[in-house]
Amino acid sequence: MIFNLKKLLIFSVILLIIPSLLGIMASSKNIAHVSQEDNKLLIKYSEKEFTQVEYAQIRNGDYSSLEGNWISRDKHNSTRLAVNQGVLIFNNVRYVLSLAEGQTGAAPTLKCRSEKGYQNTAKLSFYPEGVVIPVRLKDGTVDYSGTHDPTNRGADRLLLSQTILSEEGLKENVCYRKK
């Protein structure tokens, strides 16, 4: 009787394994036949979707989309930033980046903690291509529509600031990726 139970158990296992293996082979065959055109559709993001992917990466501590050298376009007093592996370098001081608390749907804001121990530092905001930067108007109100945003929205931008800036402040301080 024990011998029959062993045979039955082996037969049951074989009945379960064979269909599983056939299913795996069939699905891998279908994957192998995906054309390059179909593959392009899988990785094509709209601008809004790509922005959300970048924001999600930053919110998860992956700052690779910010890496590189950044410079403002102000001819008289250009701001220079460098980002490498979660570290911001500004005026020869290294700042460790971390996500600021209370993030909303707006551009991610990062805290910059100096390695020298300074507590009060500006926050670093990332504005990818197409995203409007809020502007403080002369009457003290803030424009979120983009009407007064003087920056090049056709490029990624970084802004190191403690507050919402005026148009002139943005012209002087917004940095673009150096090519």
Side-chain angles (χ1 to χ4, degrees):
M1 176 129 167
I2 293 176
F3 182 70
N4 286 338
L5 284 174
K6 285 184 180 178
K7 276 184 168 179
L8 183 61
L9 183 61
I10 291 171
F11 182 71
S12 299
V13 169
I14 290 173
L15 281 176
L16 290 172
I17 292 175
I18 290 176
S20 297
L21 289 174
L22 290 174
I24 291 169
M25 290 176 6
S27 66
S28 65
K29 184 178 179 183
N30 290 338
I31 291 170
H33 286 37
V34 172
S35 71
Q36 281 189 329
E37 198 60 38
D38 291 338
N39 195 27
K40 286 180 186 174
L41 295 175
L42 295 175
I43 60 173
K44 186 176 182 180
Y45 290 105
S46 70
E47 183 177 306
K48 184 176 182 179
E49 289 170 327
F50 187 73
T51 298
Q52 294 308 312
V53 167
E54 283 184 309
Y55 284 0
Q57 286 175 330
I58 292 170
R59 286 188 178 106
N60 288 322
D62 177 358
Y63 307 122
S64 59
S65 61
L66 306 179
E67 289 191 0
N69 293 308
W70 300 76
I71 188 167
S72 68
R73 295 188 175 159
D74 186 289
K75 294 176 182 151
H76 305 291
N77 189 20
S78 63
T79 302
R80 296 174 186 271
L81 306 172
V83 178
N84 186 21
Q85 298 180 355
V87 174
L88 168 71
I89 301 170
F90 173 63
N91 286 343
N92 296 319
V93 178
R94 294 169 45 94
Y95 299 89
V96 177
L97 299 175
S98 63
L99 192 63
E101 295 176 13
Q103 293 295 306
T104 62
T109 300
L110 302 171
K111 292 189 289 187
C112 305
R113 191 183 78 242
S114 169
E115 289 183 339
K116 293 185 177 181
Y118 305 126
Q119 294 298 319
N120 298 322
T121 59
K123 293 181 179 170
L124 182 69
S125 298
F126 171 59
Y127 297 93
E129 181 178 334
V131 174
V132 171
I133 298 177
V135 179
R136 181 164 311 282
L137 303 177
K138 290 180 182 177
D139 65 4
T141 61
V142 178
D143 172 43
Y144 294 94
S145 71
T147 304
H148 298 279
D149 179 357
T151 65
N152 176 4
R153 282 184 249 158
D156 291 342
R157 291 145 299 153
L158 282 182
L159 176 60
L160 186 63
S161 174
Q162 292 178 336
T163 186
I164 296 174
L165 300 176
S166 66
E167 286 183 60
E168 281 305 311
L170 289 176
K171 288 177 187 175
E172 293 172 11
N173 293 291
V174 167
C175 294
Y176 301 87
R177 192 180 308 273
K178 189 176 176 184
K179 297 184 184 192

